[in-house]
Amino acid sequence: MRHVRLSSLVSALALLAAAPVLAQETPLAIGAEIRGELTDSDARSGEAEDGYLYDDYAFTASQGQRLLATLGAPFDAYLEVFAEGATDGEPIAFDDDGAGGDSTDARLSFAAPAAGRYV
């Protein structure tokens, strides 16, 4: 099971697994916590057999709002944030193993460059 949560920097922490081409977004309120799991019915990056499974979560942020996300999982977690509708496929921010220590949990910090929706 995967544990996901998104909050502002002054609060507790958070989540997101994302990709530039959205299969299905799940709304995420800042400060909310999501518990879920990846299954064969989830979106897959790249080639069907070789790609990794992921879920998309969408949230709204104000320009300059600093956010911190964490993803704890029983696998090597990875987080990316994209501006909604971004066409270049490049994430605004990403993290792999940033939770520190020997952890493979992801911990991502970023400031929203503009007001809007992010995935």
Side-chain angles (χ1 to χ4, degrees), residues 10-73:
V10 292
S11 300
L13 299 319
L15 121 151
L16 17 145
V21 178
L22 307 176
Q24 180 179 0
E25 295 176 3
T26 300
L28 176 64
I30 293 175
E33 180 177 307
I34 294 177
R35 292 183 182 268
E37 61 185 346
L38 293 173
T39 67
D40 288 336
S41 64
D42 286 322
R44 187 179 295 271
S45 70
E47 298 297 319
E49 294 300 316
D50 297 330
Y52 56 85
L53 295 169
Y54 68 90
D55 287 330
D56 287 329
Y57 295 91
F59 61 96
T60 302
S62 303
Q63 181 176 6
Q65 185 173 9
R66 295 199 49 82
L67 300 165
L68 180 62
T70 59
L71 175 58

Side-chain angles (χ1 to χ4, degrees), residues 71-73 75-77 95-107:
L71 175 58
F75 52 85
D76 189 2
D95 181 76
D96 182 24
D97 303 339
D102 292 334
S103 174
T104 58
D105 293 347
R107 182 177 173 133

